[in-house]
Amino acid sequence: MVVRQETPPTQGAPLQPEEFRLAVASMRSAKLRSEVFCEDMPAPQRIAPYAAALSADVTVDEEDLGTGRIILLHDPAGNDAWDGTYRCVAYARAEIDPTMITDPLLAEVGWAWLTEALEAHGASFHAASGTVTRVATESFGGMAEDEGSAQLEIRASWTPDTLDIASHVEAWAELLCTAVGLEPVPEGVTAMPSRRGQR
C-alpha cells in the first residue's frame, strides 16, 4: 500500500491509548491495489476523543475515477450509537455510466458492494448504517454540448468487531475499485501498477 505520511494523525497526541495506536498502525498496514493511491489526511477532532483518517483516489491511465476516505474513531468510554468503543466511517464516490443512474437497484447494489467487501476481507462488523446517493449532471445553454455525467456516493459507518483495521481499509478500497468498474484481481495475481500508485 502506498501511504504517504506527511503529518500522521497521531502526531501531537501523546496521551493516545496504546490500543488505539496499534489500531492506527493496522489501518496503515493495509495492502491495496496499485490503482489506489492512499495517504494520511487530517481526522475530524470533534466526533470522538481519538481519530485517524486516510484518503484515497482510484486512478487508471492517469484518470481519476473515484475518491474516498475512511476514518477510525475511538471513544474509550463507549458510544451507545456505535455499540462499542470504535467506529469506522467511510465515504466513496465514483464516476459511473450515466445510463446506470435510473437503475432502481443501483442503491441496493452499491450497499451490497460494501457489505460483501467487508465479508470477503474477513472484516467482521456490526451496527452498520449508511446511505447510497446517485447524482446526475446535465448541461444546458452554452454548455449543452458537454456530456452528462453521473456519480455514485456511498456513505457508511460500522463498528469493527476486532482491531484488525487493515481488513476494513482493504474492504473500503475494494468498494472504491468495484464502484469505478475495475475487474477483481484474481487471488495470487498482482495488478500492473499505475503511475500514480508509484508516487
Side-chain angles (χ1 to χ4, degrees):
M1 167 169 138
V2 179
V3 177
R4 187 168 55 192
Q5 298 178 22
E6 295 175 350
T7 305
T10 56
Q11 189 169 325
L15 300 179
Q16 289 181 335
E18 176 66 16
E19 182 182 79
F20 178 71
R21 289 197 294 270
L22 292 174
V24 172
S26 173
M27 184 180 191
R28 291 182 178 151
S29 72
K31 293 177 174 59
L32 309 182
R33 290 176 60 150
S34 60
E35 296 92 343
V36 180
F37 176 74
C38 191
E39 61 187 335
D40 283 312
M41 65 173 284
Q45 301 298 311
R46 298 181 180 179
I47 302 176
Y50 307 101
L54 299 173
S55 67
D57 293 313
V58 180
T59 306
V60 177
D61 296 330
E62 299 186 359
E63 180 182 359
D64 289 340
L65 301 178
T67 188
R69 60 184 175 269
I70 186 166
I71 303 165
L72 178 65
L73 304 173
H74 176 46
D75 185 343
N79 185 308
D80 290 341
W82 302 353
D83 188 25
T85 58
Y86 284 86
R87 190 76 170 169
C88 292
V89 179
Y91 169 76
R93 187 184 75 226
E95 298 289 332
I96 61 172
D97 186 327
T99 61
M100 295 175 60
I101 208 77
T102 57
D103 186 337
L105 296 178
L106 181 60
E108 185 177 334
V109 169
W111 185 255
W113 288 338
L114 170 64
T115 57
E116 289 171 3
L118 287 165
E119 291 168 3
H121 286 271
S124 72
F125 66 97
H126 65 279
S129 63
T131 62
V132 179
T133 305
R134 308 174 245 212
V135 180
T137 304
E138 296 183 47
S139 302
F140 299 92
M143 299 175 65
E145 294 183 2
D146 293 352
E147 291 185 9
S149 64
Q151 296 86 34
L152 183 69
E153 296 183 352
I154 301 169
R155 300 173 188 272
S157 65
W158 62 90
T159 298
D161 291 335
T162 73
L163 294 184
D164 172 25
I165 305 302
S167 62
H168 295 265
V169 174
E170 289 164 3
W172 160 72
E174 182 178 318
L175 165 66
L176 279 169
C177 292
T178 301
V180 303
L182 292 182
E183 293 292 329
V185 176
E187 189 172 347
V189 175
T190 302
M192 292 296 290
S194 65
R195 291 181 185 175
R196 187 170 185 181
Q198 295 300 303
R199 288 197 300 185

